[in-house]
Amino acid sequence: MGSAILFNPTGVVHARIMDIFRGSLPGRDVKCIFNPRLPWFSEINKHAKKGDLYFINDRLPKGALDGVDAVVLFSAQPRIPHLDIVTEAMNRSIPVIAIEEVLQMALEQGFVNEYVLPVDHLFAGSDYERSKFIDAGVSPDAVETTGCVFRFKERRAALDMRQKDQARMKLGIADGRRIALLSLAYLTPRGETLEIRRKLLECVAGG
């Protein structure tokens, strides 16, 4: 067995998360594998570090899992890069972990489009999400409620208060006024609906 954990960031946000996460596992080699075919690859690649890997024409490069004892996915969609990495990990008996990055089940009425490949562990954002994944056929032994597994306290604490004040002035937000930022999905009958958005706003308004 090796001592490395291989992450597969598929979005710019994932790459930024890795900047924070890399130093949180002392004694472990944390590395990433990126896909140059993604439209936003140039932005993702700004976060690459020495030792990181790249898919070659959507395929896993030879030896990519050498010395790796765990694989972490932010998306487990049935696409060639994900299929390649999951298949190779299964052949090598390397555990695969998928992290739910949003409350998908709540926001999209139980419609699963990100986490359908077989993984050893699926980290869900809430008990509700876990129950819905189980209803959709995921083994109860494989899915675990973790909430958001990444913490950003250090990044928030380091933010200069002057930057906050400048942002408030630029946006015309009065001092002391509470702000809620909603990260919304797309409007579809099977996905996020106007009713769901109204409920989100009601939750925010109620504190």
Side-chain angles (χ1 to χ4, degrees), residues 5 64 69 78 80 82 86 117 138 153 158-159 178 180-181 194:
I5 302 176
D69 58 11
I80 291 175
H82 302 143
V86 169
L117 294 182
V138 179
K153 290 181 179 178
L159 186 62
R178 299 177 66 184
L181 177 63
L194 289 174

Side-chain angles (χ1 to χ4, degrees), residues 137-189:
V138 179
S139 168
D141 294 332
V143 58
E144 177 182 352
T145 300
T146 60
C148 179
V149 300
F150 299 102
R151 299 291 182 262
F152 300 93
K153 290 181 179 178
E154 292 183 7
R155 177 65 60 89
R156 288 199 301 266
L159 186 62
D160 192 324
M161 288 302 297
R162 288 175 298 178
Q163 291 178 288
K164 292 184 178 180
D165 292 339
Q166 290 169 2
R168 280 181 175 275
M169 290 180 61
K170 184 176 180 180
L171 296 172
I173 300 172
D175 289 343
R177 184 177 179 183
R178 299 177 66 184
I179 304 169
L181 177 63
L182 298 181
S183 180
L184 303 173
Y186 45 87
L187 286 170
T188 65

Side-chain angles (χ1 to χ4, degrees), residues 4 14 25 39 52 63 67 70 97 116 124 154 163 168 170 189 195 201 207:
H14 305 155
L25 291 174
D52 285 345
I97 301 163
V116 296
E154 292 183 7
Q163 291 178 288
R168 280 181 175 275
K170 184 176 180 180
E195 180 60 26
L201 291 171

